[in-house]
Amino acid sequence: MPPQTTRAVVQTGPRQLELRELPIPDIDDESALLRVEACGICGSDVEQYTGTIPVRWPLIPGHEPLGIIERIGDRAAQRWGVNVGDRVAVEVLIPCGHCRACIEGSYHVCRGRGGMFGYAYVPLSHPPGLWGAYAEYMYLDPFTIVHKVRKDIPANIAVMFNPLGAGFRWAVEIPDTGPGDTVLILGPGQRGLASVIAAHAAGADQIIVTGLTRDAKKLAIAKQLGADHVIDVEQEDARQRVAEITNGRGADVVVEVSAYAPEPVAEALHYVATGGRIVLAGVKGFKGVPDFVSDLVVVKEISIKGAFGVTSRSYRSAIRLIESGRVPLATMHTHNFALEDAELAIQTLAGERPGEASIHSCLLPHG
Ligand SMILES: [Zn+2]
Ligand SMILES: [Zn+2]
């Protein structure tokens, strides 16, 4: 008997989640139904939960889905190259395929379907409603982008395609990192550690990671994952350490992935080498950056690029790396949560649960 209903976590307002039983829709020739195996929890889940990101409620959160194709229309199977029983990683953004961004190859910033149209961003009122992965089953729109993933990898590791994809895009694809480059990563959270893994895989010469005193454990994991040096910015003079490590040159690439604090953005200008590249990917709640000395950008000819989201190319790099088994990814996985513990999962990632430190965590809706 195919499932008729699904349990799903529905967000009705800031900090308001409830578990509901929702009907599973019929799918047509061009769409599919996903049996969600795992959904990664990330910083934007916290922002969505607290209401910092403007969305239309009620909706089902969860934008990092990994799952098995439960049902699929013939045309979707043909277009996507997958079939019932295949395991897929699902990209968050659902592009329109026709707007200028899509046509010019920047589909990941497509706004052609009205605002940011993607999983966990579309309200329940938009048929068929199941647009989020905090659920046992999820709808897959005809414009969904999926990537096949080998089925013998544990779901809580395979679902890391999302942070790792971000690592590849932010620390490798955008700054064009390769052998000979010194890469400095500001912030040792899941995105920072993913950047370490990606920069290491790309053959970076030296990798340096900064963090706070309370990040000691994460900095130790950074070393296991390929960082050559770690700096505690509260205990050490970070500018001086970076200068020492790079023989006074500075880092070729600086990746800023710290959450909320604007200071590292201003500091990045001091850490980067002349002619170097800075990638800004950590959001700061739309605060300004004090002490941002723009003259440094001029005299050092620094390139600064923003990064929002991940592209197919970087998702593919991430999935191949996961499948290779070459990186001890389990060292950064800290928590599995059941569907009914979604709120606990978000609060744990946010650091709102004393004594619980999360790096990578996920929901496993089927247990
Ligand atoms: Zn995410
Ligand atoms: Zn578009």
Side-chain angles (χ1 to χ4, degrees):
M1 234 335 240
Q4 304 295 312
T5 60
T6 177
R7 290 193 309 149
V9 175
V10 175
Q11 181 171 13
T12 56
R15 293 184 176 267
Q16 284 178 330
L17 301 181
E18 53 190 60
L19 197 58
R20 289 191 197 168
E21 189 88 28
L22 298 171
I24 291 179
D26 282 334
I27 52 129
D28 62 16
D29 205 31
E30 302 199 78
S31 56
L33 184 73
L34 186 78
R35 181 182 198 271
V36 181
E37 287 184 278
C39 175
I41 313 276
C42 88
S44 46
D45 290 63
V46 177
E47 287 155 21
Q48 197 170 32
Y49 171 69
T50 55
T52 316
I53 295 180
V55 286
R56 279 169 297 157
W57 293 302
L59 55 69
I60 304 172
H63 62 275
E64 301 192 354
L66 173 88
I68 305 286
I69 300 282
E70 174 83 14
R71 288 182 220 156
I72 189 165
D74 287 343
R75 214 171 117 69
Q78 202 176 35
R79 288 174 64 213
W80 304 354
V82 297
N83 223 320
V84 169
D86 283 341
R87 176 190 256 183
V88 293
V90 181
E91 291 196 21
V92 49
L93 200 104
I94 309 170
C96 76
H98 293 279
C99 72
R100 194 160 169 167
C102 282
I103 287 166
E104 293 180 355
S106 301
Y107 76 91
H108 63 290
V109 289
C110 167
R111 297 290 179 267
R113 291 178 69 168
M116 158 127 188
F117 195 90
Y119 293 105
Y121 291 91
V122 181
L124 215 52
S125 58
H126 191 100
L130 305 182
W131 298 95
Y134 281 18
E136 292 166 321
Y137 293 90
M138 182 177 122
Y139 170 72
L140 297 181
D141 177 273
F143 282 87
T144 301
I145 301 170
V146 298
H147 303 269
K148 255 196 225 184
V149 183
R150 248 174 41 204
K151 285 166 94 171
D152 58 333
I153 298 154
N156 56 8
I157 301 296
V159 76
M160 284 190 196
F161 74 90
N162 243 289
L164 285 179
F168 274 100
R169 177 141 198 273
W170 304 348
V172 177
E173 185 183 326
I174 292 176
D176 196 20
T177 299
D181 283 329
T182 292
V183 180
L184 170 63
I185 295 154
L186 309 180
Q190 60 164 284
R191 306 282 157 165
L193 295 176
S195 295
V196 171
I197 294 168
H200 193 250
D205 198 33
Q206 286 198 106
I207 300 169
I208 312 165
V209 183
T210 64
L212 306 174
T213 302
R214 66 162 187 264
D215 297 323
K217 211 170 160 185
K218 293 176 185 173
L219 291 172
I221 293 172
K223 283 197 132 181
Q224 287 178 43
L225 294 172
D228 301 285
H229 305 275
V230 296
I231 302 172
D232 175 342
V233 299
E234 291 176 301
Q235 305 289 332
E236 302 170 85
D237 182 336
R239 286 190 206 176
Q240 196 190 325
R241 279 290 313 280
V242 172
E244 279 164 20
I245 293 165
T246 60
N247 293 320
R249 246 178 55 76
D252 302 290
V253 174
V254 179
V255 185
E256 206 290 315
V257 280
S258 67
Y260 303 115
E263 294 81 11
V265 176
E267 281 303 300
L269 303 180
H270 297 276
Y271 302 145
V272 74
T274 296
R277 297 91 84 190
I278 297 175
V279 177
L280 301 181
V283 289
K284 312 296 179 189
F286 289 89
K287 284 186 298 228
V289 177
D291 302 318
F292 184 90
V293 182
S294 64
D295 285 358
L296 286 171
V297 181
V298 178
V299 299
K300 290 169 82 172
E301 294 208 325
I302 298 165
S303 305
I304 302 178
K305 277 199 110 179
F308 188 71
V310 185
T311 53
S312 277
R313 178 179 150 194
S314 284
Y315 279 125
R316 281 196 300 272
S317 300
I319 292 166
R320 294 295 91 80
L321 183 120
I322 292 167
E323 292 180 335
S324 78
R326 275 181 307 188
V327 179
L329 296 171
T331 53
M332 61 184 274
H333 182 74
T334 51
H335 295 77
N336 293 329
F337 292 98
L339 195 58
E340 51 271 33
D341 293 329
E343 193 150 24
L344 176 66
I346 297 167
Q347 292 172 351
T348 303
L349 186 84
E352 293 178 4
R353 295 276 168 161
E356 286 287 327
S358 168
I359 302 177
H360 178 266
S361 59
C362 66
L363 285 186
L364 299 171
H366 294 269

